Amino acid sequence: MTSNEHSSHEEDARVPRRVIGTPAAGTAVLGDSPPQPPVEDPAVVYPDLAAARRAERLVALLFLVTFLSGVAFIASYVIFQVGTVDSTAASNLALGTSLTLALLSLAAGIVLWVRRIMPKYTLVQERHPMVSAPDTQEYVADTFVAGANESGFVRHKLLRRTLLLAAAPLGLAPLILLKDLGPLPGTSLRHTVWKKGLRLTVEGTGAPIRAADFNSPGGILSVVPQGYEHDLNALAKATLILIKFRSDQLKAGTNQNWTHDGIVAYSKICTHVGCPAALYEQTTHHILCPCHQSTFDATDGAKVIFGPAARPLPQLPIGVDSEGYLIAEADFDVPVGPSFWERGDAEAEAREAREKAS
C-alpha cells in the first residue's frame, strides 16, 4: 500500500458517517441542545420520563402508519383505474380512506408529541400595545429557541426519523396527482363513435329500431349507438333524440338529406353546458333543456329560439340498412355539446371535408 493510499484511509476513518435523518457534523440544529434539568417553576409541568418514552413509541407508530397510508394512497391511485361507476367508486374509497388515515395519524402523532413529551406551561396573556417593544421581540425569539430545544427534534432520533419518513409519501402525493392534468384531449372532442352502418338502439333496452315501426308523427325516442350501451364516455357525446315528423313539417334549417321518412336525429347534448336536452313539446315541436331552459326548434334544424345556448343541436345523418333498421350514415359534421377552445378549427375542417365531398 502506498503512502497516499494509507493517508487516504486515515482521512476516511476520521470522517464520521452521516445517517439519514441526522444533521451534518458540526451543524447547529434547533432542538439539538442536551436535556436541561427541570427548573423549579410551579407554572411549568415536566412529563414523567417513563410516560414520555411510552408516548415517543406511540408517536413513532403513528408516523409509521402515516407513511404506510401515504404509500397506500399512491398505490391506490396507480392500481384502481376509473372508467366505470363501480371502478370509480372503488378508486374514491381507496384514495379517500388512505389519505384520511395518513392525515389523521400524522395529526395525532404531532398532538401527542406536544402533549405527552414537551413540558406544559400555565400562561397568562395580558393586553399590550399592538407594537411590540424590543424586549418583547427578544423574549419571543428566546421563547421560540427554547421551545425548539424542548421539542428535542434532534435529540429524539426515533421521532425525527419516523416523522421524516411519514412526510415523504405525502410530499410525493401532489406530484403523483399531476398525472390527472393530462393527457390532452387532442381531437377526441371533435368526434363521436357514430359511423356509417352503426345501428341506432333504444336507450335502456338496446333494441334496434325499425323505421317502419317508428311511424307515428310526434313520436320521440332517446337513442344510443349499438354496442356502446354501457360505455359512459361514448354516451356522453353520442346520445341522440329521435323524432318523427310529417314531411311537410320540416323547415329549411333541417337537412332533409340526413333524414329518413320524416325521422330526424339530433344530438341530445345541449350546446350550452352539456345537459341532456330531452324534453319535447309535441304541439310546438320544441326541444327543451331542463337545466337552463335553452329551447330548440326541432322542425328547423334544432336552431336556438330561447335561452343561453349559442348553437343548434347537431343533426346526425341517418338512413336504413338492408333489414330496415335505422343506421348512421356518418358521424356528426360538427362537434357536439358545449363549445371549447379549438371548436372553430374543428368546424373549419368539417367544412373542408364537405366541400371536398361535394
Side-chain angles (χ1 to χ4, degrees), residues 189-246:
L189 298 178
R190 306 182 185 185
H191 311 290
T192 71
V193 296
W194 288 110
K195 59 184 179 181
K196 185 176 178 61
L198 190 60
R199 284 182 174 176
L200 282 64
T201 61
V202 178
E203 185 178 19
T205 66
I209 306 165
R210 285 185 184 274
D213 296 336
F214 190 59
N215 55 12
S216 176
I220 181 172
L221 286 175
S222 183
V223 173
V224 296
Q226 189 175 49
Y228 295 89
E229 293 86 354
H230 305 292
D231 187 338
L232 299 182
N233 288 328
L235 298 182
K237 297 184 293 181
T239 308
L240 306 174
I241 48 175
L242 199 67
I243 307 175
K244 169 69 175 180
F245 296 102
R246 296 192 311 270

Side-chain angles (χ1 to χ4, degrees), residues 194-200 209-212 240 242 256-261 263-265 315-330:
W194 288 110
K195 59 184 179 181
K196 185 176 178 61
L198 190 60
R199 284 182 174 176
L200 282 64
I209 306 165
R210 285 185 184 274
L240 306 174
L242 199 67
Q256 298 199 36
N257 292 327
W258 292 356
T259 68
H260 177 79
D261 194 23
I263 301 173
V264 186
Q315 182 183 350
L316 183 74
I318 60 172
V320 293
D321 60 15
S322 58
E323 299 179 44
Y325 289 104
L326 289 172
I327 60 171
E329 292 291 348

Side-chain angles (χ1 to χ4, degrees), residues 12-248:
D12 292 341
R14 289 196 298 270
V15 177
R17 292 188 176 183
R18 182 180 176 187
V19 180
I20 294 176
T22 61
T27 303
V29 179
L30 291 176
D32 198 17
S33 62
Q36 301 296 324
V39 179
E40 295 298 331
D41 188 342
V44 181
V45 179
Y46 291 90
D48 177 70
L49 184 59
R53 292 197 177 280
R54 289 194 299 270
E56 182 177 356
R57 289 191 291 269
L58 179 58
V59 172
L61 176 62
L62 289 170
F63 288 162
L64 286 174
V65 171
T66 301
F67 167 73
L68 295 176
S69 301
V71 172
F73 177 85
I74 295 174
S76 300
Y77 182 83
V78 175
I79 295 172
F80 294 96
Q81 299 298 315
V82 299
T84 66
V85 173
D86 292 338
S87 62
T88 302
S91 174
N92 290 341
L93 179 62
L95 291 174
T97 302
S98 56
L99 185 59
T100 299
L101 186 59
L103 296 178
L104 282 177
S105 56
L106 179 62
I110 293 174
V111 169
L112 286 176
W113 187 342
V114 173
R115 296 182 65 85
R116 300 289 181 84
I117 297 176
M118 296 177 63
K120 298 177 178 60
Y121 295 86
T122 301
L123 301 176
V124 177
Q125 183 177 9
E126 299 180 357
R127 295 183 180 274
H128 55 79
M130 295 297 294
V131 179
S132 299
D135 56 341
T136 302
Q137 298 177 21
E138 183 179 355
Y139 170 75
V140 171
D142 293 341
T143 303
F144 176 80
V145 174
N149 289 331
E150 290 165 355
S151 72
F153 183 77
V154 173
R155 186 171 67 253
H156 297 288
K157 296 180 180 179
L158 179 62
L159 293 181
R160 181 181 67 254
R161 293 172 182 173
T162 51
L163 175 60
L164 294 175
L165 184 67
L170 293 178
L172 290 175
L175 299 178
I176 299 297
L177 294 178
L178 288 176
K179 180 177 178 292
D180 276 349
L181 296 178
L184 295 175
T187 60
S188 62
L189 298 178
R190 306 182 185 185
H191 311 290
T192 71
V193 296
W194 288 110
K195 59 184 179 181
K196 185 176 178 61
L198 190 60
R199 284 182 174 176
L200 282 64
T201 61
V202 178
E203 185 178 19
T205 66
I209 306 165
R210 285 185 184 274
D213 296 336
F214 190 59
N215 55 12
S216 176
I220 181 172
L221 286 175
S222 183
V223 173
V224 296
Q226 189 175 49
Y228 295 89
E229 293 86 354
H230 305 292
D231 187 338
L232 299 182
N233 288 328
L235 298 182
K237 297 184 293 181
T239 308
L240 306 174
I241 48 175
L242 199 67
I243 307 175
K244 169 69 175 180
F245 296 102
R246 296 192 311 270
S247 57
D248 61 340

Side-chain angles (χ1 to χ4, degrees), residues 189 236 269-275 311 335-341 343:
L189 298 178
I269 313 304
C270 181
T271 53
H272 178 218
V273 291
C275 295
R311 297 182 291 113
V336 303
S339 298
F340 54 93
W341 189 262
R343 183 180 171 275

